[in-house]
């Protein structure tokens, strides 16, 4: 790439059109780390000294997220330090040929960064694996897997006494989900879409620190830092329905850089508060397991009734 790094004058390797910024490899990393620090501050995601559990799947975004937390904790990047206690958790979903590899990737990443790593087998919590679900046919594996992951990550976070559960959702994920919820006019999901969800009894606060970092930025970060995400693809993966929204948003972003970020920020600032007012549905508790639910039996317990030995 032609051009010089704006900060040190060295050879630039990255050009960020929305900021008209050329950066070398090291200053690109510092720029991303600082942006995440600002996001944490702007949305009040973490207070000093809190305990944060990072959901580490072994995919690119979660590896980058944990790496950024290590950078923040080390104070290596000027103006971007954060004093919090970080550990990571990986779920063993019981998917043959995939789960073991993701756990290996996650484990060695944690070892390298000196982060304590928990591995939780969903079979122990749910009584079934995702392979069991797939072999039974019926509901798509991904839809069951999504519910199970949300439930088990929350349970682990609550039981181990963490203050926050951090996930690696990036700007492209969030913008695509937002557009998809607009298109289907799903007011309930729109009113819940947020970079930080507060905790309550038996519900850990969820945060998305990469919320303002784009997918191409996490990809470059992972590449420059030599992070090696799990290479295998989950055998049950299907193209998510948000893919076509991502394509549309990429087109808009190409023509008008910063479209995605202004869409997200505008939504959070001006539209979401109105929706929340209009949609104050009270969360109840599941009669079976006691964890938060919007009906008498939570969707996880319903799944356990279908697939597991209750
Ligand atoms: Fe679970 Fe689907 Fe992801 Fe596989 S692709 S890990 S089944 S959500
Ligand atoms: Zn530089
Ligand atoms: Zn339940």
């Amino acid at each position: 790439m032609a051009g010089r790094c704006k900060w040190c004058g060295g050879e630039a390797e990255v050009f960020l059109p929305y900021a008209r910024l050329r950066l070398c490899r090291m200053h690109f990393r510092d720029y991303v780390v600082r942006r995440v620090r600002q996001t944490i501050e702007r949305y009040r995601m973490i207070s000093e000294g809190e305990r944060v559990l990072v959901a580490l799947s072994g995919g690119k975004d979660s590896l980058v997220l944990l790496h950024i937390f290590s950078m923040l904790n080390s104070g290596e990047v000027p103006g971007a330090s954060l004093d919090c206690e970080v550990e990571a958790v990986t779920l063993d979903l019981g998917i043959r040929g995939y789960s073991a590899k993701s756990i290996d990737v996650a484990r060695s990443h944690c070892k390298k960064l000196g982060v304590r790593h928990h591995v939780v087998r969903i079979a122990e919590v749910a009584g079934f694996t995702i392979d069991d679900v797939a072999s039974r046919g019926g509901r798509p594996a991904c839809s069951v897997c999504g519910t199970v992951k949300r439930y088990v990550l929350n349970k682990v976070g609550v039981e181990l006494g963490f203050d926050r559960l951090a996930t690696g959702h990036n700007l492209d994920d969030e913008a695509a989900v937002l557009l998809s919820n607009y298109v289907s006019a799903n007011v309930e999901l729109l009113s819940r879409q947020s970079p930080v969800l507060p905790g309550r009894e038996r519900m850990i606060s969820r945060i998305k620190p990469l919320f303002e970092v784009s997918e191409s930025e996490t990809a470059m970060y992972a590449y420059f830092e030599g992070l090696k995400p799990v290479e295998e693809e989950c055998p049950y993966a299907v193209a998510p329905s948000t893919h076509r929204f991502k394509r549309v948003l990429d087109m808009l972003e190409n023509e008008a850089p910063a479209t995605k970020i202004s869409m997200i920020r505008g939504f959070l600032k001006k539209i979401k508060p109105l929706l929340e007012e209009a949609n104050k549905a009270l969360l109840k508790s599941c009669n079976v397991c006691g964890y938060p639910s919007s009906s008498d039996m939570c969707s996880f317990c319903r799944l356990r009734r279908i697939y597991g030995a209750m």
Side-chain angles (χ1 to χ4, degrees), residues 34 236 306:
R34 223 170 272 138
Y236 309 123
I306 300 170

Side-chain angles (χ1 to χ4, degrees), residues 51-54 89 91 120 150-165 202-205 291:
R51 299 186 68 218
V52 180
L53 182 63
V54 174
V89 61
L91 301 184
V120 177
R150 261 192 310 280
Y151 185 93
V152 177
L153 286 172
N154 178 59
K155 186 170 159 64
V156 172
V158 167
E159 286 177 358
L160 297 180
F162 283 90
D163 300 297
R164 313 279 181 177
L165 175 71
R202 287 188 165 212
M203 174 107 91
I204 190 169
S205 164
Y291 276 88

Side-chain angles (χ1 to χ4, degrees), residues 5 7-10 23-24 27:
C5 170
W7 291 346
C8 70
L23 295 170
C24 69
H27 285 125

